[in-house]
Amino acid sequence: MRILLCTDTYPPQLNGVSVVVAGMVAGLRARGWDCTVVSPSYPSALRDLLHGDHGGAQYTVPSIACPGYPDIRLAWPSTRNMRKLIKHLRPDVVLSATEGMVGRAGSHAARDLGLPLVTSYHTDFSRYCDAYGVPWMRTLVSSWLTRFHSRANATLTPSLASRRQLQAFGIHHTRVWSGGVDTEQFHPRHYSATARYRFALGHAFTFLYVGRLAPEKNLELLLKAFAKVSRSRPGRVRLLIVGAGPSEAALRAQAPDGVSLLGALDRRNDLPSLYASAEAFLFASTTETLGLVTLEAMASGLPVIAVPAGGVGDYLQDGRNGLAFDANDVDGCAAAMIRLCDDPSLNERLRAGARQTAERYGNKAELDRLDSTMRDIIRTHGQPVRASAPLLLEHAAPDSR
């Protein structure tokens, strides 16, 4: 089986969506699929950070840095060029993994040529509008999302909450597929005294955040809550923040004593041991369709203190695998942090519950379901595409890395 996967984010760019999409490619290839990826180009400095094989042929579309958020790449491929590529490759199905211009070009080309089209919904962009100070754009963004996913034969969505949101938009051909978490890569056995020494944690109760540093993640709340806890438990707590993004400078300026912003860390070599060597994970976002980092934390045996909103609400169980607090409630977050600091037995119980939850979301079973789902869509909607002479995308080239 052949699949063309069109995405506006892919390694070496690091975020939840790029991780899930790369996992799709690797998982399908391991199950016998011939996968080709179309993604934006990335600067060589970023490509040098890429570890591992993310699978198959890759075509990169020239891109530019997003103003104000240079980690995001903006590409503008033409539907005409995408049609040429599809006729050359003759895939059985097209998966448009993102709603940006690369995903849109793949979507239009697949429908023009009568190919089965699958879309995936990973990001609730309509809710980002409030965080970025443009609430008036929410209706426009919701309309864009609706038009994009309405073209598909099926839309993959990572949680029941995001499925309900798409249904509210009038999109009913949804299938819940979370992508899952690698429970071997993220595991309590990766605890490392060396990692704790590296970051000078000593015996401090260490809270961890991993993710993009952006307004929608509400990291200011975590800093305020930590400041309250630190004042009541002086010298006993630390907060490590891992990630990069447009809010980094502001967060560094606001960070109280005891907070360390570590920047982006190597996902394979550094993150597993850092997760497993902390005591608890903090997360204040209310816009997640899944919240992959919270599952990675749970797989590493960390209790999660988070808002049970969006996809996180599907699996966060207060008192079983973590502690819940209300959206924008600084005092509620601080109170949960203090509970864990002061009650070792609660911490141990939640650690066990977190790992049990993550094991139910293991990525092997999820990738098996993805394989089955894509084959079913091809059987139901597939038809051959007439071949053309070999022809590559104009202004694009196969990426050999």
Side-chain angles (χ1 to χ4, degrees):
M1 292 290 185
R2 295 176 183 168
I3 183 170
L4 177 66
L5 195 148
C6 304
T7 178
D8 293 88
T9 180
Y10 200 65
Q13 185 178 6
L14 186 60
N15 56 57
V17 179
S18 69
V19 169
V20 171
V21 173
M24 284 178 162
V25 173
L28 289 174
R29 278 178 54 80
R31 288 157 180 78
W33 287 73
D34 181 357
C35 297
T36 301
V37 176
V38 180
S39 71
S41 61
Y42 292 96
S44 58
L46 275 180
R47 290 202 304 271
D48 291 343
L49 296 176
L50 183 64
H51 294 278
D53 176 17
H54 289 277
Q58 184 173 350
Y59 291 83
T60 56
V61 179
S63 68
I64 60 172
C66 177
Y69 200 158
D71 289 345
I72 295 177
R73 307 297 297 183
L74 302 179
W76 202 284
S78 75
T79 300
R80 179 171 63 88
N81 284 344
M82 196 71 78
R83 284 197 300 265
K84 291 179 180 179
L85 182 63
I86 289 175
K87 288 181 178 180
H88 170 63
L89 296 173
R90 301 181 67 190
D92 298 291
V93 62
V94 173
L95 171 58
S96 286
T98 55
E99 297 94 346
M101 300 312 296
V102 177
R104 179 179 179 274
S107 169
H108 280 292
R111 301 311 288 163
D112 289 348
L113 295 171
L115 269 179
L117 172 66
V118 177
T119 59
S120 57
Y121 175 66
H122 300 284
T123 306
D124 184 359
F125 287 112
S126 65
R127 292 183 184 272
Y128 282 19
C129 295
D130 292 337
Y132 284 88
V134 286
W136 53 270
M137 288 189 63
R138 189 164 182 171
T139 300
L140 181 64
V141 172
S142 296
S143 178
W144 171 279
L145 295 175
T146 300
R147 289 197 304 272
F148 179 83
H149 293 292
S150 64
R151 302 187 188 103
N153 298 111
T155 295
L156 306 177
T157 185
S159 63
L160 294 173
S162 55
R163 181 181 190 177
R164 287 191 293 269
Q165 182 183 13
L166 285 179
Q167 289 174 338
F169 291 162
I171 307 300
H172 298 286
H173 49 253
T174 55
R175 304 193 186 195
V176 175
W177 182 77
S178 73
V181 60
D182 188 334
T183 56
E184 293 302 311
Q185 181 181 3
F186 299 101
H187 194 284
R189 66 168 172 265
H190 297 308
Y191 171 87
S192 168
T194 301
R196 290 191 66 89
Y197 177 80
R198 174 184 174 188
F199 298 111
L201 300 180
H203 297 290
F205 191 103
T206 301
F207 297 96
L208 176 67
Y209 167 86
V210 176
R212 288 184 298 108
L213 309 186
E216 70 276 8
K217 300 299 183 180
N218 204 8
L219 284 156
E220 292 81 2
L221 181 147
L222 299 184
L223 294 182
K224 292 175 182 177
F226 178 81
K228 287 178 173 287
V229 176
S230 182
R231 285 194 296 269
S232 67
R233 306 293 187 276
R236 290 177 50 191
V237 293
R238 288 285 305 277
L239 171 59
L240 302 182
I241 295 176
V242 177
S247 298
E248 183 170 356
L251 292 171
R252 288 188 183 278
Q254 298 171 36
D257 290 343
V259 177
S260 298
L261 281 82
L262 307 181
L265 296 182
D266 187 285
R267 180 173 174 78
R268 290 181 181 272
N269 298 320
D270 294 327
L271 277 185
S273 61
L274 187 58
Y275 272 121
S277 303
E279 273 72 44
F281 191 79
L282 298 181
F283 205 63
S285 173
T286 61
T287 64
E288 305 302 308
T289 58
L290 176 66
L292 178 62
V293 290
T294 59
L295 282 176
E296 292 173 352
M298 286 184 177
S300 303
L302 292 191
V304 169
I305 299 175
V307 180
V312 177
D314 275 10
Y315 51 84
L316 178 63
Q317 297 175 288
D318 185 63
R320 180 175 175 81
N321 55 24
L323 297 175
F325 65 94
D326 293 335
N328 301 314
D329 184 358
V330 174
D331 290 338
C333 180
M337 294 165 69
I338 288 172
R339 282 185 66 190
L340 282 186
C341 287
D342 293 352
D343 191 342
S345 63
L346 173 63
N347 192 286
E348 288 304 310
R349 187 171 73 250
L350 296 183
R351 279 179 173 272
R355 178 63 191 181
Q356 290 169 4
T357 298
E359 287 172 348
R360 295 199 301 270
Y361 284 83
N363 62 353
K364 181 181 183 303
E366 286 295 290
L367 289 168
D368 286 344
R369 280 204 311 120
L370 177 63
D371 174 40
S372 176
T373 295
M374 301 305 288
R375 292 176 187 273
D376 178 60
I377 290 168
I378 291 170
R379 283 193 299 268
T380 304
H381 301 285
Q383 56 181 293
V385 173
R386 182 171 58 85
S388 65
L391 184 64
L392 302 183
L393 275 174
E394 296 174 10
H395 309 303
D399 195 326
S400 60
R401 72 176 185 274

